[in-house]
Amino acid sequence: RELGEKMHSSEWVFQPPLLRGVNVELLNRNLWQQFYENNTSEMIITKSGRCMFPSVQINVNGLEKRENYYVLMKIAPASDRRHKYCGYQNGGENSNMGGWSFVGSAEPQQPCGYRIYKHPKSPATGSHWMDNPISFNKLKLTYNINDPNNNVVLTSMHKYVSRIWIVRCFDAKNYNELFTHSTALFAFKETEFIAVTAYQNENITKLKINNNPFAKGFREMGQSRFKRKHHSIDHQTQSYSSLEGVPLTYDSESNQPNDPPPL
């Protein structure tokens, strides 16, 4: 990983020294809340890595301006169960979504070092971190335990939550060394999500298409298909089922320029 050797335990067994007086605000809380209210967001994981949407965006204050800090995000398990999507409650398409259920104990998770993302600006001065919003939009999620690109390795159908770590440290060779320094930890329940290889909850998919600025192609494709469908109904008696929905899946492994953007 970027900071040298991996941690071999799934979670830390020690408590780093506490960094006091630091505050973190989730800037896009309202967007995250929309997903949370639809019975937990979903994040696609692929072999090559997929960016999160929404990404985590924060403001930090309370740092010493001239001190150096690392800012990291750890994706931590939020449940000790494996999950399964069972569809709509009450069988109605417009009913409240509540279709995730438990299907046994969680699978063993990758060691902690596989689920930590160091912000690329780290380390930087407290002044730098406080003067600029901090975005984790470059973080990618994968299921590939042999991933060579420092992406975060997760397990499909398991629930996770994003945790922000701010560590006062000038330099560190590995995570074990880094977390001997004073640390502040923050977690936002709104950022809970279930890792999936294909979206399960239709409402979550719609939210991603409607709110992701890079999903313009999906929105235009949906409008175009809607118009063609009704044009066909006006001039023919036959309805073509192939025009009834917006395609929501595509080749997640390809990085070609003409591919739809990640959601």
Side-chain angles (χ1 to χ4, degrees), residues 224-236 243:
S224 175
R225 286 174 177 260
F226 179 83
K227 291 178 180 178
R228 290 202 305 270
K229 174 186 173 182
H230 285 271
H231 179 79
S232 176
I233 291 175
D234 290 340
H235 291 82
Q236 302 177 35
L243 300 178

Side-chain angles (χ1 to χ4, degrees), residues 119-162:
H119 193 280
K121 297 291 185 179
S122 297
T125 64
S127 177
H128 170 83
W129 294 122
M130 292 188 293
D131 289 345
N132 302 277
I134 303 171
S135 175
F136 289 88
N137 60 343
K138 294 184 179 180
L139 182 156
K140 291 185 177 182
L141 307 177
T142 181
Y143 56 74
N144 180 16
I145 61 174
N146 297 313
D147 175 78
N149 299 314
N150 294 297
N151 294 327
V152 172
V153 182
L154 303 180
T155 306
S156 182
M157 294 302 182
H158 288 66
K159 182 182 284 190
Y160 299 91
V161 64
S162 303

Side-chain angles (χ1 to χ4, degrees), residues 78-83 101-107 157-159:
S79 168
D80 61 358
R81 302 290 189 89
R82 179 179 172 86
H83 294 71
S101 63
F102 301 133
V103 287
S105 299
E107 298 176 22
M157 294 302 182
H158 288 66
K159 182 182 284 190

Side-chain angles (χ1 to χ4, degrees), residues 71-73 115-120 136 138-139 150 152:
V71 177
L72 310 99
M73 191 163 83
R115 291 182 283 105
I116 295 178
Y117 175 82
K118 178 176 70 72
H119 193 280
F136 289 88
K138 294 184 179 180
L139 182 156
N150 294 297
V152 172

Side-chain angles (χ1 to χ4, degrees), residues 9-250:
S9 61
S10 60
E11 298 296 329
W12 286 296
V13 295
F14 65 91
Q15 178 65 45
L18 184 63
L19 182 63
R20 299 183 183 276
V22 180
N23 294 298
V24 170
E25 174 192 7
L26 182 63
L27 289 177
N28 52 346
R29 180 188 295 272
N30 289 340
L31 179 57
W32 276 102
Q33 187 67 30
Q34 291 182 54
F35 288 90
Y36 185 74
E37 290 173 352
N38 276 277
N39 193 43
T40 305
S41 187
E42 301 169 18
M43 296 292 173
I44 294 288
I45 57 175
T46 67
K47 184 176 181 180
S48 59
R50 176 71 65 85
C51 291
M52 295 174 62
F53 183 84
S55 61
V56 173
Q57 301 171 23
I58 60 172
N59 264 344
V60 178
N61 59 67
L63 304 178
E64 297 291 337
K65 291 185 177 182
R66 296 185 179 181
E67 292 285 344
N68 280 277
Y69 298 86
Y70 283 80
V71 177
L72 310 99
M73 191 163 83
K74 174 188 173 186
I75 306 296
S79 168
D80 61 358
R81 302 290 189 89
R82 179 179 172 86
H83 294 71
K84 178 182 179 181
Y85 188 70
C86 302
Y88 293 95
Q89 282 185 336
N90 304 323
E93 186 176 27
N94 296 320
S95 61
N96 184 40
M97 297 298 292
W100 286 104
S101 63
F102 301 133
V103 287
S105 299
E107 298 176 22
Q109 297 296 300
Q110 293 301 314
C112 233
Y114 287 84
R115 291 182 283 105
I116 295 178
Y117 175 82
K118 178 176 70 72
H119 193 280
K121 297 291 185 179
S122 297
T125 64
S127 177
H128 170 83
W129 294 122
M130 292 188 293
D131 289 345
N132 302 277
I134 303 171
S135 175
F136 289 88
N137 60 343
K138 294 184 179 180
L139 182 156
K140 291 185 177 182
L141 307 177
T142 181
Y143 56 74
N144 180 16
I145 61 174
N146 297 313
D147 175 78
N149 299 314
N150 294 297
N151 294 327
V152 172
V153 182
L154 303 180
T155 306
S156 182
M157 294 302 182
H158 288 66
K159 182 182 284 190
Y160 299 91
V161 64
S162 303
R163 293 180 177 175
I164 303 298
W165 292 79
I166 300 177
V167 186
R168 187 170 61 200
C169 177
F170 178 75
D171 190 24
K173 296 179 181 178
N174 54 58
Y175 287 127
N176 290 318
E177 178 184 338
L178 179 66
F179 287 102
T180 63
H181 295 267
S182 296
T183 301
L185 169 64
F186 302 87
F188 302 97
K189 191 168 181 62
E190 301 95 327
T191 64
E192 285 186 354
F193 66 88
I194 293 178
V196 295
T197 54
Y199 291 122
Q200 307 294 307
N201 183 338
E202 181 180 342
N203 285 1
I204 293 295
T205 311
K206 290 178 180 177
L207 275 172
K208 296 206 177 211
I209 291 175
N210 291 335
N211 289 280
N212 190 341
F214 296 103
K216 181 180 178 181
F218 281 105
R219 291 190 291 270
E220 291 178 346
M221 188 182 302
Q223 294 171 0
S224 175
R225 286 174 177 260
F226 179 83
K227 291 178 180 178
R228 290 202 305 270
K229 174 186 173 182
H230 285 271
H231 179 79
S232 176
I233 291 175
D234 290 340
H235 291 82
Q236 302 177 35
T237 58
Q238 182 180 4
S239 175
Y240 294 92
S241 60
S242 62
L243 300 178
E244 291 182 351
V246 181
L248 301 176
T249 59
Y250 51 87

